C-alpha cells in the first residue's frame, strides 16, 4: 500500500459545481498535511495547509479525519481556472520526510 | 511569494555533455530538495539536503549529484547527459522538514 493515495481522476465537472477529493495516508503518526495545485508543466503551488481538523479559504475547504486517516479537499462553485492537478502531501513523522500523492486531475468545463 | 529560483528554465543539450542545473533561495531555508517529474506523472525525490555540507539521495535513484556549499545554493550536476535524463527538474526548500515546500519554477531538460 502506498503511503499516500489519491484517486487519479480525471474529475470532469461543469462550472459552478462542487467537487471533493479524498486522500488517504497510511502512517497514523502523520502530523502535517498539505494540498498543492499543479498546472500542466508548471511547479506545484501550495493551496492549503491542514494542521488541525481542517480549514477554509474562500471556495476551498480542507478537512482532516485522523480516525479514518484521510484528508479531503472541497471546491465550491468551480471555475474554469480550477482545472489542474491537486496533490496531497503528508509529513511522515517516522521517516522525517514529506510524501506526495500521485495527484488528482480536475477538469472544469463551461 | 516564495523566493526560490532555478536556471536555466529550458535546456536542450546533446548526449554526453556535462550540465549543472542551478537552484538558489533567499529565504534562509536549511532544507532543500530536488524532484524529477515527467509530464503527467508523479514527483520523485532524487536528492535532498538538510544544511550546508549535508546531501542525501532520495527515493528515486538518479545519476545526478548535488552539492551544498552555501545555504542558499543547491546545484544539481549531470556528468554525462543521456536521453533518459530528459525530464523536468524541480527544486524546493522549506524552513522545517514538516513545513510547506516552496518550489522553483523548474528546469525542463531535453537531451538529444
Amino acid at each position: 500500500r502506498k503511503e499516500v493515495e489519491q484517486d487519479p481522476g480525471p474529475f470532469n465537472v461543469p462550472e459552478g459545481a462542487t467537487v471533493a477529493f479524498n486522500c488517504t495516508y497510511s502512517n497514523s503518526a502523520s502530523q502535517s498535511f498539505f494540498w498543492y495545485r499543479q498546472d500542466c508543466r508548471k511547479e506545484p503551488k501550495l493551496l492549503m495547509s491542514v494542521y488541525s481538523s481542517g480549514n477554509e479559504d474562500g471556495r476551498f475547504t480542507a478537512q482532516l479525519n485522523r480516525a479514518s486517516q484521510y484528508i479531503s479537499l472541497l471546491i465550491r462553485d468551480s471555475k474554469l481556472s480550477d482545472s489542474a492537478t491537486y496533490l496531497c502531501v503528508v509529513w511522515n513523522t517516522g521517516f522525517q520526510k514529506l510524501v506526495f500523492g500521485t495527484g488528482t486531475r480536475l477538469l472544469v468545463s463551461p | 511569494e516564495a523566493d526560490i529560483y532555478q536556471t536555466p528554465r529550458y535546456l536542450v543539450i546533446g548526449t554526453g555533455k556535462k550540465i549543472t542545473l542551478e537552484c538558489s533561495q533567499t529565504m534562509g531555508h536549511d532544507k532543500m530538495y530536488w524532484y524529477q517529474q515527467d509530464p503527467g506523472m508523479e514527483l520523485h525525490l532524487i536528492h535532498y539536503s538538510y544544511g550546508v555540507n549535508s546531501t542525501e539521495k532520495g527515493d528515486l535513484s538518479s545519476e545526478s549529484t548535488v552539492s551544498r556549499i552555501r545555504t542558499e545554493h543547491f546545484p544539481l550536476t549531470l556528468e554525462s547527459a543521456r536521453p533518459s535524463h530528459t525530464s523536468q527538474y524541480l527544486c524546493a526548500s522549506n524552513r522545517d522538514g514538516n513545513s510547506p515546500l516552496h518550489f522553483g519554477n523548474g528546469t525542463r531538460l531535453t537531451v538529444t
Side-chain angles (χ1 to χ4, degrees):
Chain A
R1 183 186 172 190
K2 282 191 172 184
E3 290 182 71
V4 179
E5 294 198 76
Q6 295 183 252
D7 182 340
F11 283 60
N12 290 284
V13 302
E15 266 187 296
T18 295
V19 61
F21 312 132
N22 274 350
C23 166
T24 59
Y25 59 95
S26 59
N27 186 348
S28 60
S30 297
Q31 297 284 335
S32 302
F33 309 87
F34 310 96
W35 282 104
Y36 279 77
R37 172 203 167 113
Q38 185 174 27
D39 293 293
C40 187
R41 296 179 176 269
K42 296 288 184 75
E43 75 277 17
K45 292 188 176 178
L46 180 66
L47 183 63
M48 301 180 80
S49 300
V50 189
Y51 288 112
S52 55
S53 60
N55 49 304
E56 184 175 320
D57 182 5
R59 298 181 295 110
F60 299 84
T61 300
Q63 292 202 316
L64 168 63
N65 185 318
R66 289 189 184 274
S68 301
Q69 292 180 210
Y70 75 84
I71 61 173
S72 63
L73 178 67
L74 180 78
I75 306 176
R76 290 181 295 277
D77 189 23
S78 298
K79 312 290 185 192
L80 295 176
S81 57
D82 292 335
S83 296
T85 296
Y86 291 84
L87 300 167
C88 171
V89 185
V90 177
W91 167 250
N92 184 313
T93 305
F95 290 103
Q96 295 285 296
K97 65 176 183 178
L98 286 165
V99 182
F100 280 79
T102 53
T104 296
R105 192 163 167 227
L106 172 66
L107 299 171
V108 182
S109 54
Chain B
E1 200 64 37
D3 295 312
I4 180 165
Y5 309 99
Q6 290 185 244
T7 58
R9 187 74 188 271
Y10 303 94
L11 179 62
V12 181
I13 201 162
T15 296
K17 300 291 186 183
K18 177 180 179 179
I19 58 171
T20 296
L21 309 186
E22 302 288 349
C23 177
S24 295
Q25 50 94 8
T26 58
M27 295 171 284
H29 288 168
D30 283 329
K31 296 171 176 56
M32 296 188 74
Y33 310 81
W34 277 102
Y35 290 87
Q36 184 176 343
Q37 186 180 36
D38 293 324
M41 304 299 284
E42 63 191 285
L43 285 158
H44 292 286
L45 179 66
I46 53 174
H47 296 284
Y48 62 98
S49 167
Y50 281 174
V52 171
N53 294 325
S54 154
T55 61
E56 301 286 345
K57 290 190 179 294
D59 303 322
L60 180 69
S61 175
S62 174
E63 292 165 347
S64 58
T65 58
V66 292
S67 63
R68 190 87 183 276
I69 298 171
R70 303 197 315 265
T71 298
E72 62 271 22
H73 196 212
F74 191 40
L76 180 144
T77 298
L78 275 166
E79 291 293 332
S80 179
R82 293 209 301 268
S84 60
H85 296 140
T86 295
S87 190
Q88 175 163 252
Y89 293 84
L90 290 157
C91 181
S93 73
N94 60 0
R95 184 185 70 248
D96 303 305
N98 63 345
S99 59
L101 282 171
H102 299 272
F103 282 89
N105 53 15
T107 293
R108 190 167 299 280
L109 173 66
T110 302
V111 184
T112 61

